[in-house]
Amino acid sequence: DTAVSQTPKYLVTQMGNDKSIKCEQNLGHDTMYWYKQDSKKFLKIMFSYNNKELIINETVPNRFSPKSPDKAHLNLHINSLELGDSAVYFCASSKDRYEQYFGPGTRLTVT
Amino acid sequence: AQTVTQSQPEMSVQEAETVTLSCTYDTSENNYYLFWYKQPPSRQMILVIRQEAYKQQNATENRFSVNFQKAAKSFSLKISDSQLGDTAMYFCAFSITSGSRLTFGEGTQLTVNP
């Protein structure tokens, strides 16, 4: 029973391409998040959606666009990929903005 | 803005011994939550323990316990009877009650030696 799932787990692509990462949770949570973990393992919030409404939008390049088609899904689309976008991207979810449960992460490598 | 600091980038401990990981934070909020997450080599982020700021009693989960000192803004994690499977990066994290983002510390890499 996968609680928070992400696809793909690994993504290797070239600079300038557009790619998407998908996230789904089956926990019935109402809030979902995207975090970025850089090469030094530092984790930082990117976006958060509550009931499909964007509630957190950190200082992230507008090449990154989250989309939440419903409460159980939060996708991340990245346009014109750059070398600096290489990182691990984590999706997470929570109920009532409490403790967060994380997906397995997507390791994005831009070459 | 809230900040979380973990001053120990790396620590090691012998199997079966006890180790304490340090975390300090800064906030002007009175109500908030504190968490410890574990990230093993598999990269999965696993919630270890949580503490509500309004609770004076320190949280405990099996071999894991915290020492929460609200006035000092300190939130340390004690791991008793360390096991090889405890080898991981440990992150301290903070969340205010009315918000939803987790603010993470830099992490402490813990290695349990046989």
Side-chain angles (χ1 to χ4, degrees):
Chain A
D1 291 344
T2 303
V4 183
S5 60
Q6 291 179 232
T7 54
K9 289 187 179 177
Y10 298 93
L11 184 54
V12 181
T13 188
Q14 292 184 329
M15 285 176 57
N17 285 348
D18 302 339
K19 291 293 180 183
S20 293
I21 305 172
K22 295 184 177 182
C23 177
E24 176 182 2
Q25 55 94 5
N26 62 5
L27 298 167
H29 289 168
D30 54 3
T31 306
M32 297 184 71
Y33 315 78
W34 279 110
Y35 288 87
K36 178 180 180 180
Q37 186 173 41
D38 63 23
S39 58
K40 295 184 178 179
K41 301 279 185 145
F42 188 69
L43 279 147
K44 190 173 180 183
I45 185 79
M46 299 175 69
F47 302 103
S48 175
Y49 271 77
N50 179 262
N51 287 319
K52 301 196 301 176
E53 179 185 350
L54 181 65
I55 55 173
I56 292 176
N57 186 357
E58 283 294 290
T59 308
V60 176
N62 56 16
R63 298 182 294 103
F64 290 79
S65 54
K67 285 189 172 52
S68 181
D70 55 56
K71 282 173 53 174
H73 296 84
L74 180 61
N75 303 323
L76 183 64
H77 188 76
I78 315 170
N79 290 325
S80 303
L81 278 155
E82 300 177 356
L83 292 176
D85 298 332
S86 295
V88 179
Y89 293 85
F90 284 98
C91 177
S93 72
S94 71
K95 186 169 180 60
D96 300 330
R97 305 183 183 185
Y98 195 37
E99 61 200 35
Q100 297 180 22
Y101 293 88
F102 285 76
T106 296
R107 180 177 293 280
L108 172 64
T109 303
V110 183
T111 63
Chain B
Q2 289 76 32
T3 59
V4 179
T5 303
Q6 294 178 248
S7 58
Q8 305 151 314
E10 297 179 352
M11 292 191 72
S12 62
V13 64
Q14 291 299 120
E15 197 174 4
E17 292 187 347
T18 296
V19 64
T20 298
L21 309 183
S22 301
C23 173
T24 58
Y25 59 94
D26 189 25
T27 184
S28 57
E29 301 286 335
N30 192 45
N31 294 321
Y32 49 86
Y33 297 98
L34 293 160
F35 306 89
W36 280 97
Y37 280 87
K38 165 185 176 181
Q39 186 178 37
S42 67
R43 153 179 116 208
Q44 177 72 51
M45 292 288 290
I46 302 165
L47 178 66
V48 175
I49 199 165
R50 73 168 188 259
Q51 174 81 44
E52 294 89 339
Y54 63 86
K55 289 187 178 179
Q56 292 186 339
Q57 187 172 4
N58 289 322
T60 299
E61 288 287 342
N62 300 314
R63 299 183 294 108
F64 299 87
S65 61
V66 298
N67 183 3
F68 173 49
Q69 302 289 329
K70 191 172 183 179
K73 294 182 181 175
S74 171
F75 182 62
S76 60
L77 175 70
K78 185 172 83 171
I79 306 174
S80 304
D81 185 26
S82 297
Q83 300 176 359
L84 296 179
D86 295 334
T87 292
M89 180 76 87
Y90 287 80
F91 291 97
C92 179
F94 172 100
S95 176
I96 62 174
T97 306
S98 60
S100 59
R101 74 186 67 200
L102 281 173
T103 299
F104 286 91
E106 306 92 331
T108 296
Q109 176 63 50
L110 176 68
T111 301
V112 180
N113 298 309

